[in-house]
């Protein structure tokens, strides 16, 4: 399945009783596999998780840690901008030039990169350890 279809399909499963705002994310990892995630909210609001976080968790659970491409979709007025935390999460597993396609359900897209979403991201090597 391609990334767009995977993101659109998993979005339908989003658990969003509080915001009513469904988000779907799909990642292609180094092996070529596709990993999908949706947002999962909670009555204790800060415990909710974003679609991107779910897709990253699925990728890591499958034994992979390298994102080669990402796609995020929501029924938003503009191609859905990932939150700051998800930008940092994507930067953990993707090089700055990795393509991220942000989309609306109606088909508007914005193609960007992990580096453009979070310039100057804090990375492992910023801790200066050998
Ligand atoms: N949300 C995501 O899952 N990903 C994004 O990129 C933006 C926001 C979710 C979190 C929450 O469940 C809902 O959208 C409203 O903030």
């Amino acid at each position: 399945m391609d990334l767009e279809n995977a993101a659109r399909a998993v979005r339908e499963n989003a658990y969003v009783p509080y915001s009513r705002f469904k988000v779907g994310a799909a990642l292609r990892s180094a092996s070529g596999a596709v990993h999908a995630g949706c947002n999962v909210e909670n009555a204790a609001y800060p415990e909710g998780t974003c679609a991107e976080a779910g897709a990253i968790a699925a990728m890591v659970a499958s034994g992979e840690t390298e994102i080669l491409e990402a796609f995020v979709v929501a029924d938003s007025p503009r191609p859905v901008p990932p939150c700051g935390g998800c930008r940092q999460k994507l930067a953990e597993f993707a090089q700055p030039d990795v393509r991220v396609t942000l989309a609306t359900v109606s088909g508007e897209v914005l193609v960007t990169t992990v580096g453009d979403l979070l310039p100057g991201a804090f990375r492992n090597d910023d801790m200066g350890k050998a």
Side-chain angles (χ1 to χ4, degrees):
M1 187 184 270
D2 68 41
L3 284 187
E4 177 170 359
N5 283 329
R8 285 177 177 272
V10 73
R11 178 182 165 276
E12 298 299 331
N13 296 335
Y15 175 76
V16 291
Y18 308 107
S19 74
R20 303 276 171 203
F21 186 69
K22 293 183 172 188
V23 185
L27 311 171
R28 188 176 309 284
S29 58
S31 72
V34 173
H35 312 274
C38 56
N39 49 336
V40 180
E41 298 182 345
N42 193 283
Y45 289 5
E47 298 304 325
T49 51
C50 287
E52 297 90 328
I56 288 169
M59 178 189 73
V60 173
S62 81
E64 294 203 66
T65 56
E66 179 76 21
I67 298 170
L68 297 186
E69 192 178 352
F71 194 106
V72 189
V73 63
D75 191 12
S76 40
R78 59 173 175 160
V80 60
C83 78
C86 285
R87 293 172 194 229
Q88 181 71 34
K89 289 181 177 75
L90 289 167
E92 179 74 16
F93 299 104
Q95 293 302 309
D97 64 350
V98 162
R99 181 167 60 185
V100 181
T101 303
L102 310 174
T104 64
V105 165
S106 63
E108 193 183 344
V109 296
L110 173 66
V111 179
T112 184
T113 65
V114 169
D116 283 348
L117 285 171
L118 189 62
F122 179 74
R123 290 179 172 273
N124 184 29
D125 49 7
D126 289 311
M127 288 185 277
K129 295 178 179 167

